[in-house]
Amino acid sequence: KMVEQKRYALFLATLDSEFVKKTYGGYHNVFVETFGDEGEHWDSFRVVEGEFPEEKDLEKYDGFVISGSSHDSFENDPWILRLCEIVKKLDEMKKKVLGICFGHQIIARVRGGTVGRARKGPELKLADITIVKDAITPGSYFGNEIPDSLAIIKLHQDEVLVLPETAKVLAYSDKYEVEMFTIEDHFFCIQGHPEYNRDILFEIVDRVLRLGYITQEMADSAKATLENRGADRKLLETICKNFLKGRQKKNKKRFALFLATCDSEFVKKAYGGYFNVFVSAFGEEGEQWDLFRVVDGDFPDEKDLDSYDGFIISGSPHDAFADADWIVKLCSLCQKLDEMEKKVLGICFGHQIITRVKGGKIGRARQGPDMGLRTITIAKDNEKLGLYFGDEVPASLAIVKCHQDEVLELPDSATVLASSEVCQVEMFSIGDHLLCIQGHPEYNKEILFEIVDRVLNMKLMEQEFADKAKSTMESAEPDKDLWQKLCKNFLKGQI
């Protein structure tokens, strides 16, 4: 199999000095030497001179680097405004962009932050920046050993004054609050210069001294910081390369089950609780599954939601349209997960809760309660189902049903994926992140029979209804393997 050559673009926001031209052949080579790997293709665009790629060509690049500059990132020169437009486009495309010094500030500007003159004055030296270890996941761009601090060459007179809302600070110093930040997985910004070495800094110091921009004392002070030690170039290079090239050690996938029902004695004895029923149906080796008994008011902290790859909301004997405190809180949490576009699989009560959150209508089932094995009709020619099921989408599926409520009106943004004679909405999706099923893909014959017997003993149903429910499973079984395939492919993004 032929591996496609990786392609990167460097946006040069500075001119080559004579020294850099003579020693390295230009800044292009300095960057490629630092961040490039054998077999890659690197293109340079001298944005400072108005040279930009065509928008139609942006897609072909795997990543972008925006260099430092002697210009101010808050100015409105035509080339700076054009660069901001391109960065906005790259943001929409979720393209990897490494912003260095001026580039770090440009990204902050584009994402709604504020940049301006450094409050504590310019900086020209080797400096230590403190890493916010709690903000970094082990195994991410930094690897498993996250350092307490990094030495990096600094050369700037501006800084990020106000961080964009969605940004996360990864490093700071005693002089600047924002030395390094990320936005989602596609922007990585550094105030210092990971690509600079001692010779480059010394030549810049001598040049700005000759131009009268700094005093001899400032020049000597800058050079003195590199007398006995150097920048952590190797580690900085590794971090930047890992970001640009997506070399992030994949942490184990993590899922959360929102259990909206109590464990029956039978389920506890036979399976150790409903949690094990769900993990057995949808879990895989090496994953982490956490249980939150939402029916008892047990919820995750909002700050922890991002650490999960997906969520399941279980069925419940409670009504999804009720306003018990825990139900209202669950709705609020689902709204947050929807905004985050987190994968959520809603089952029975969960299917109805998502409907409610997204503006649909739920209530008592129009044709009365449904309990037993039912065959539901799968929507034809639905592209999404083709992705979830693979090559062959079944025309119908058998599933265990156990509910007295249903979706009466679908949310505007929903797509029906399955229906039946007794229930118009058996399954639906919203975007790529919400999948809702009225039946129970996790149930088997034994679980259904025990529920039927329990509800009968509580005199909540007639003997005839109980017998009919059980009779549906006399000679048939649910299509458990296909349901598992569908739910797993949805939850784990295996599409």
Side-chain angles (χ1 to χ4, degrees):
K1 186 182 174 181
M2 200 173 96
V3 178
E4 201 174 321
Q5 186 182 42
K6 288 247 183 187
R7 197 164 183 178
Y8 297 91
L10 170 63
F11 292 162
L12 268 174
T14 189
L15 300 171
D16 292 328
S17 69
E18 288 307 313
F19 167 78
V20 164
K21 271 196 256 187
K22 189 177 171 185
T23 313
Y24 305 100
Y27 274 119
H28 172 85
N29 293 342
V30 172
F31 278 94
V32 177
E33 179 70 28
T34 309
F35 305 126
D37 285 312
E38 200 176 337
E40 293 173 348
H41 181 89
W42 281 74
D43 292 332
S44 267
F45 296 92
R46 295 187 179 275
V47 295
V48 69
E49 293 176 336
E51 187 191 346
F52 288 89
E54 299 263 352
E55 276 199 17
K56 65 178 173 58
D57 294 331
L58 296 177
E59 189 55 58
K60 68 186 180 188
Y61 291 100
D62 295 282
F64 300 78
V65 179
I66 307 172
S67 80
S69 179
S70 55
H71 295 264
D72 296 322
S73 58
F74 49 82
E75 290 297 343
N76 292 321
D77 296 357
W79 73 270
I80 292 176
L81 294 179
R82 177 80 182 120
L83 179 60
C84 288
E85 278 174 30
I86 292 279
V87 172
K88 197 169 183 182
K89 181 78 180 166
L90 295 176
D91 186 22
E92 288 163 10
M93 296 167 78
K94 305 284 186 207
K95 284 285 184 182
K96 295 257 185 189
V97 186
L98 172 63
I100 292 172
C101 197
F102 170 86
H104 153 101
Q105 295 158 16
I106 284 286
I107 289 170
R109 173 181 176 173
V110 166
R111 284 300 297 248
T114 307
V115 288
R117 282 283 177 264
R119 287 164 288 202
K120 293 185 177 177
E123 193 168 38
L124 180 62
K125 64 176 186 177
L126 180 72
D128 290 306
I129 62 174
T130 303
I131 304 301
V132 184
K133 294 175 89 164
D134 289 348
I136 298 160
T137 311
S140 65
Y141 315 131
F142 284 75
N144 287 321
E145 290 296 318
I146 302 166
D148 293 316
S149 63
L150 283 170
I152 189 168
I153 289 174
K154 304 282 298 297
L155 175 59
H156 64 108
Q157 63 176 356
D158 301 333
E159 70 167 320
V160 174
L161 301 170
V162 179
L163 209 60
E165 276 180 26
T166 49
K168 184 161 68 169
V169 175
L170 300 188
Y172 63 93
S173 67
D174 51 9
K175 202 165 178 180
Y176 304 102
E177 290 171 16
V178 185
E179 290 283 4
M180 190 187 285
F181 72 88
T182 56
I183 296 177
E184 294 166 37
D185 291 325
H186 63 287
F187 282 151
F188 189 69
C189 303
I190 304 171
Q191 181 56 76
H193 286 269
E195 81 284 10
Y196 277 6
N197 57 26
R198 178 189 169 126
D199 295 339
I200 291 174
L201 178 69
F202 276 28
E203 190 274 331
I204 292 170
V205 168
D206 291 340
R207 187 154 32 95
V208 293
L209 177 64
R210 281 196 308 274
L211 290 163
Y213 294 146
I214 60 171
T215 63
Q216 185 66 54
E217 188 186 356
M218 284 169 75
D220 293 342
S221 174
K223 287 183 177 182
T225 61
L226 276 153
E227 255 170 33
N228 303 314
R229 64 185 188 127
D232 291 317
R233 286 194 72 210
K234 206 72 205 158
L235 189 46
L236 285 161
E237 181 184 307
T238 300
I239 292 164
C240 294
K241 278 184 169 182
N242 284 350
F243 160 73
L244 265 182
K245 296 160 198 206
R247 294 177 190 150
Q248 190 166 354
K249 185 182 171 190
K250 287 288 179 193
N251 292 314
K252 66 165 104 175
K253 290 231 172 193
R254 192 175 180 193
F255 299 92
L257 171 65
F258 293 162
L259 200 58
T261 188
C262 296
D263 292 327
S264 69
E265 288 308 312
F266 166 77
V267 164
K268 272 196 252 186
K269 191 175 171 184
Y271 305 100
Y274 273 119
F275 176 72
N276 292 339
V277 173
F278 278 94
V279 176
S280 175
F282 307 122
E284 286 172 311
E285 202 176 333
E287 295 172 347
Q288 180 181 330
W289 282 75
D290 295 336
L291 169 64
F292 296 94
R293 293 183 182 276
V294 294
V295 69
D296 295 331
D298 176 26
F299 288 87
D301 281 338
E302 275 201 16
K303 66 177 172 58
D304 295 331
L305 296 178
D306 203 38
S307 65
Y308 290 97
D309 294 281
F311 300 80
I312 297 179
I313 308 170
S314 79
S316 178
H318 297 266
D319 297 323
F321 50 80
D323 289 324
D325 288 350
W326 71 271
I327 293 175
V328 172
K329 187 167 181 181
L330 180 60
C331 287
S332 172
L333 198 61
C334 282
Q335 200 159 8
K336 179 78 179 165
L337 294 175
D338 180 34
E339 287 162 11
M340 296 168 79
E341 296 198 346
K342 284 285 184 182
K343 297 258 185 186
V344 185
L345 173 62
I347 293 173
C348 198
F349 169 87
H351 154 100
Q352 295 159 15
I353 282 286
I354 289 171
T355 303
R356 172 180 175 172
V357 166
K358 291 295 289 187
K361 195 175 171 190
I362 47 179
R364 286 282 179 262
R366 284 167 285 209
Q367 294 192 37
D370 195 14
M371 194 176 266
L373 186 70
R374 303 288 180 231
T375 299
I376 65 173
T377 304
I378 304 299
K380 286 180 182 175
D381 304 325
N382 186 284
E383 191 183 328
K384 202 168 287 180
L385 284 173
L387 293 170
Y388 295 146
F389 279 112
D391 297 336
E392 197 146 335
V393 179
S396 63
L397 282 173
I399 192 169
V400 173
K401 301 279 297 297
C402 181
H403 66 106
Q404 64 175 356
D405 300 333
E406 70 171 321
V407 173
L408 301 171
E409 284 177 26
L410 213 57
D412 288 344
S413 49
T415 304
V416 175
L417 301 180
S419 57
S420 69
E421 289 175 7
V422 295
C423 187
Q424 286 175 10
V425 185
E426 290 283 4
M427 177 163 60
F428 72 89
S429 67
I430 295 177
D432 291 325
H433 64 289
L434 302 177
L435 179 67
C436 303
I437 303 167
Q438 180 57 75
H440 286 269
E442 81 283 11
Y443 276 7
N444 58 23
K445 180 175 179 170
E446 287 75 22
I447 291 175
L448 176 70
F449 277 28
E450 190 274 333
I451 292 171
V452 169
D453 290 340
R454 187 156 33 94
V455 176
L456 183 63
N457 289 336
M458 292 165 76
K459 301 197 176 353
L460 295 173
M461 73 164 75
E462 301 293 325
Q463 185 69 53
E464 186 186 359
F465 191 88
D467 293 342
K468 268 187 183 174
K470 286 185 175 182
S471 71
T472 61
M473 292 195 79
E474 263 171 24
S475 56
E477 289 284 332
D479 290 313
K480 209 157 184 201
D481 288 347
L482 281 171
W483 280 114
Q484 281 185 4
K485 184 178 185 180
L486 167 74
C487 295
K488 281 183 176 184
N489 282 347
F490 160 75
L491 262 184
K492 298 165 196 201
Q494 293 161 353
I495 58 171

